[in-house]
Amino acid sequence: MDIMKHCPNCQAEIIEDFQLCWNCNYSFTENRVVEIVDQDQLKRQITCLRCKDVPMHFTGNYKFHEGTRFGAMGNLLELFVNKETFNIYVCPKCGKAEFFTP
C-alpha cells in the first residue's frame, strides 16, 4: 500500500513519491503552485514567406544528429555525437519547410 501525504494548498491526498499535486499543480519541490503550459500554446503562428499570408502547419519536433553510426559500438559512441532538435513548419500550398529551435 502506498504512503500518502496531503497537499498544503488544496489538502488533496497525494502518493508520497509524487512531486506534483494532481488536483492543483502544487509543486512539492518548489513549494508553490506551478502553471502547466499546453504544448499547443507553444506553437508559433508562422506564415509562408513565399505564399504571403498562408499559415504554415506545425509538423512536430524532430531530432537530428551529425555523422554516422559506428558499427557495434554505435550506441556507446552516440554519446559523443552532436545532436540538434528543431520544430518544423510546412506550408500546405507550396511545401516550403522551415526549421526553428524549440
Side-chain angles (χ1 to χ4, degrees):
M1 184 171 164
D2 292 322
I3 299 173
M4 304 298 275
K5 63 184 174 183
H6 286 87
C7 173
N9 187 54
C10 71
Q11 303 308 313
E13 263 193 334
I14 310 296
I15 296 176
E16 182 69 30
D17 295 339
F18 287 8
Q19 299 302 317
L20 189 67
C21 175
W22 62 270
N23 188 46
C24 69
N25 294 333
Y26 179 85
S27 170
F28 290 92
T29 55
E30 296 181 30
N31 296 321
R32 66 180 181 92
V33 175
V34 294
E35 186 170 336
I36 306 298
V37 178
D38 186 14
Q39 286 290 69
D40 289 338
Q41 294 175 353
L42 297 177
K43 295 178 190 172
R44 300 178 183 186
Q45 299 299 320
I46 299 172
T47 56
C48 181
L49 295 174
R50 289 182 184 164
C51 300
K52 307 288 185 211
D53 299 327
V54 174
M56 297 183 81
H57 295 287
F58 177 74
T59 61
N61 183 279
Y62 296 91
K63 296 178 182 175
F64 298 94
H65 84 45
E66 295 176 10
T68 59
R69 294 195 182 345
F70 301 100
M73 296 293 288
N75 291 337
L76 178 61
L77 295 174
E78 283 290 309
L79 297 172
F80 304 104
V81 174
N82 185 29
K83 297 178 185 176
E84 297 292 336
T85 303
F86 295 99
N87 290 337
I88 300 179
Y89 292 80
V90 175
C91 176
K93 187 174 178 184
C94 70
K96 177 183 178 185
E98 292 196 29
F99 293 67
F100 294 91
T101 56

